[in-house]
Amino acid sequence: MSSYTGLKWSGGSGWGLGLEGKSGWSLGWYKEKSEKIDFDDFPDQRIEGDRFILGYRWR
């Protein structure tokens, strides 16, 4: 489940790839496509996109 500012919740599908090194740094790439999002005043839409995540895990 993903949430986007000002929009209702929507499920969807996607996949991702991530790597984490021994130092604790990680890098991930995710490709997502939402299900149809219903709006009251606008046409229904979908959200598609890529997400890149850089992270660090403290030990």
Side-chain angles (χ1 to χ4, degrees):
M1 299 288 283
S2 293
S3 177
Y4 298 89
T5 303
L7 302 178
K8 299 176 184 176
W9 284 88
S10 174
S13 62
W15 56 276
L17 175 66
L19 300 171
E20 181 177 330
K22 290 181 180 180
S23 65
W25 285 100
S26 62
L27 179 64
W29 172 55
Y30 300 89
K31 186 160 196 70
E32 299 179 304
K33 183 175 183 178
S34 73
E35 293 179 0
K36 185 174 67 173
I37 301 172
D38 299 322
F39 291 94
D40 295 331
D41 299 333
F42 298 102
D44 298 341
Q45 299 179 25
R46 295 183 190 275
I47 296 175
E48 295 184 37
D50 297 312
R51 183 186 333 192
F52 295 93
I53 298 176
L54 176 65
Y56 182 78
R57 180 167 48 103
W58 284 269
R59 298 174 188 217

